[in-house]
Amino acid sequence: MAEKDDKNMKALKEVWRRAENALCADCGKPDPDWASHTLGVFICLSCSGIHRNIPNISKVKSLRMDHWDEAQVQFLEQHGNAVAKAMYEAHIPIYYYQPTHADCQVLREQWIRAKYERKEFTKPGRQLPYSNGLKEGILWKRGRDNGQFLPRKFLLSEQDGCLKYFAKLDAKEPKINIKIDTINATFQPVKIKNPNGLQLSYLKDNKTRNIFLYHEDGKIKSRLMQKFLKEGYMEKTGPRQREAFKKRWFTLDHRRLMYFKDPLDAFAKGEVFVGSREHGYSVKQGLPAGAQGGFSWQYGLTIVTPDREYLFTCETARDQQDWIAAFSRVIEQPMTPQEYAIEAYFKLSS
Ligand SMILES: [Zn+2]
């Protein structure tokens, strides 16, 4: 019996040592020392606590302290983090925000439940989980003019696919009414200087508008959580490519590159629709030969659209490569019918 146990522990250590199992399957924390023997994933202590909340789906054990039987070890051998990822994360929308170990428990629990309990990402197409339809709450919203945060009533209606907010707590008519599909919400603790800071970007009259919020206890609807593919400073020049380059804050979401004078501006100074390769869009390293105009940053890149070229410069080579990689991800994705419509809007309004 002891011999069999030894063999079993040896097999467990081997599968645990595999490179694919070196990071927590859910939050990416290095050196996970827990595992789920029903899902076949290696996870950190903190995520194992969340798995305990879904006992009908996941059963966890410590890899160091618990006894593992042969069948459980075999299950881990046949699964592991790579197999689980291929299954449970097969169709994550590229702009979906995946929390890391630095994120709060609430956000990680939403992610883990979406992944294993609701299996939102196992099939193509964004699954819209209909919970109980209506969510209402108070969020602190940053005033556009004075930058002060004030409490506002927010209402999320999944049936109509709308998010509304009211300027006064007893107001009947919403101040804004936004289609959820057009919202890009990102988690922005640093920018907003609050651990539950959130940025919502949405289209209004075909222009992008930002609102900055936080919630006191961090209960953020995971439905809305997405991430920017990339954001940061670049320099840009104007359409004639002769104007001096100006430093701007850029955000890239699924198809839209927006730029701002300041990261906390409510309105974008401009935006560029980024389509797909087969529709005439591409990204190139460097600036076209003969590009003029003063730029202080040396690492250029060019976005080619069917209508014109956009020239940017980055401060570091690393930044340049990251931006090129982010644009490439967008461009390599075929456009959906809805995105063709958005592209047409952009052309009308520019
Ligand atoms: Zn974890």
Side-chain angles (χ1 to χ4, degrees):
M1 192 66 203
E3 206 175 292
K4 205 174 172 193
D5 267 1
D6 279 356
K7 214 179 131 211
N8 212 26
M9 282 312 286
K10 209 176 145 229
L12 180 65
K13 276 187 185 138
E14 253 162 45
V15 53
W16 185 10
R17 266 204 301 265
R18 284 185 202 157
E20 54 159 312
N21 301 324
L23 303 175
C24 171
D26 297 328
C27 74
K29 193 170 188 207
D31 306 320
D33 54 4
W34 285 72
S36 165
H37 57 85
T38 52
L39 295 170
V41 289
F42 291 76
I43 52 179
C44 71
L45 172 65
S46 173
C47 291
S48 80
I50 297 172
H51 279 245
R52 284 183 196 282
N53 296 338
I54 44 169
N56 47 334
I57 293 177
S58 184
K59 298 212 188 314
V60 293
K61 276 187 173 183
S62 163
L63 291 160
R64 292 183 199 284
M65 296 171 303
D66 289 323
H67 177 264
W68 288 78
D69 67 36
E70 207 180 329
Q72 291 166 345
V73 173
Q74 267 174 13
F75 189 82
L76 285 183
E77 275 175 338
Q78 286 154 8
H79 292 78
N81 290 2
V83 169
K85 194 181 172 74
M87 179 169 157
Y88 293 105
E89 300 180 21
H91 300 283
I92 297 180
I94 59 168
Y95 43 83
Y96 186 92
Y97 182 78
Q98 295 175 43
T100 70
H101 51 95
D103 284 314
C104 64
Q105 159 105 12
V106 174
L107 213 56
R108 280 185 294 116
E109 177 151 358
Q110 287 172 340
W111 157 238
I112 287 169
R113 285 182 182 270
K115 199 157 86 159
Y116 305 116
E117 193 177 46
R118 298 196 297 272
K119 299 187 176 65
E120 282 182 33
F121 316 117
T122 54
K123 291 193 191 81
R126 197 164 177 205
Q127 305 282 303
L128 303 181
Y130 281 78
S131 53
N132 45 10
L134 214 62
K135 287 265 147 68
E136 157 176 339
I138 301 298
L139 291 164
W140 291 77
K141 179 186 170 291
R142 186 180 191 268
R144 207 194 316 151
D145 302 320
N146 59 10
Q148 237 182 12
F149 282 86
L150 293 169
R152 293 285 182 255
K153 187 170 88 174
F154 276 79
L155 193 79
L156 181 77
S157 162
E158 299 206 336
Q159 247 95 62
D160 325 331
C162 284
L163 177 75
K164 301 172 187 176
Y165 94 78
F166 300 80
K168 294 208 179 80
L169 294 186
D170 56 356
K172 294 271 185 294
E173 290 300 313
K175 176 96 187 281
I176 54 164
N177 188 347
I178 327 164
K179 280 268 172 223
I180 292 171
D181 293 350
T182 68
I183 298 178
N184 183 27
T186 57
F187 201 50
Q188 296 284 11
V190 179
K191 233 193 219 178
I192 297 175
K193 300 192 182 70
N194 181 289
N196 303 316
L198 189 67
Q199 172 175 357
L200 299 185
S201 307
Y202 61 97
L203 275 179
K204 193 185 176 193
D205 305 327
N206 298 321
K207 291 263 190 279
T208 302
R209 170 92 209 263
N210 283 331
I211 45 184
F212 298 94
L213 311 162
Y214 65 87
H215 192 287
E216 270 162 346
D217 55 11
K219 283 201 183 112
I220 293 158
K221 271 299 288 181
S222 66
R223 263 292 307 273
L224 296 176
M225 287 308 295
Q226 302 176 359
K227 66 174 176 184
F228 289 129
L229 286 173
K230 177 150 177 69
E231 60 177 336
Y233 284 109
M234 288 195 285
E235 294 183 321
K236 69 171 281 293
T237 184
R240 291 185 300 126
Q241 304 184 0
R242 294 217 170 80
E243 299 87 341
F245 280 67
K246 289 194 181 104
K247 185 178 156 186
R248 295 284 180 250
W249 180 263
F250 286 84
T251 61
L252 176 65
D253 68 18
H254 185 40
R255 286 282 177 208
R256 203 175 329 152
L257 177 72
M258 292 172 276
Y259 57 93
F260 304 87
K261 222 169 157 176
D262 181 276
L264 288 175
D265 285 347
F267 293 102
K269 287 196 75 78
E271 44 200 13
V272 179
F273 180 85
V274 185
S276 62
R277 182 168 301 285
E278 71 264 20
H279 217 224
Y281 292 81
S282 60
V283 54
K284 292 183 200 159
Q285 179 165 324
L287 302 177
Q292 311 170 8
F295 43 89
S296 46
W297 289 347
Q298 299 307 312
Y299 302 93
L301 63 99
T302 305
I303 301 290
V304 182
T305 76
D307 303 316
R308 56 169 279 201
E309 290 181 335
Y310 292 87
L311 277 46
F312 305 101
T313 56
C314 303
E315 192 173 13
T316 64
R318 171 76 197 267
D319 245 6
Q320 175 198 40
Q321 293 311 314
D322 286 353
W323 275 109
I324 290 172
F327 283 121
S328 301
R329 281 186 74 184
V330 174
I331 288 167
E332 295 311 327
Q333 293 242 333
M335 279 158 69
T336 64
Q338 194 198 7
E339 287 165 353
Y340 281 109
I342 295 172
E343 184 192 37
Y345 271 130
F346 265 87
K347 284 190 174 160
L348 272 176
S349 61
S350 64

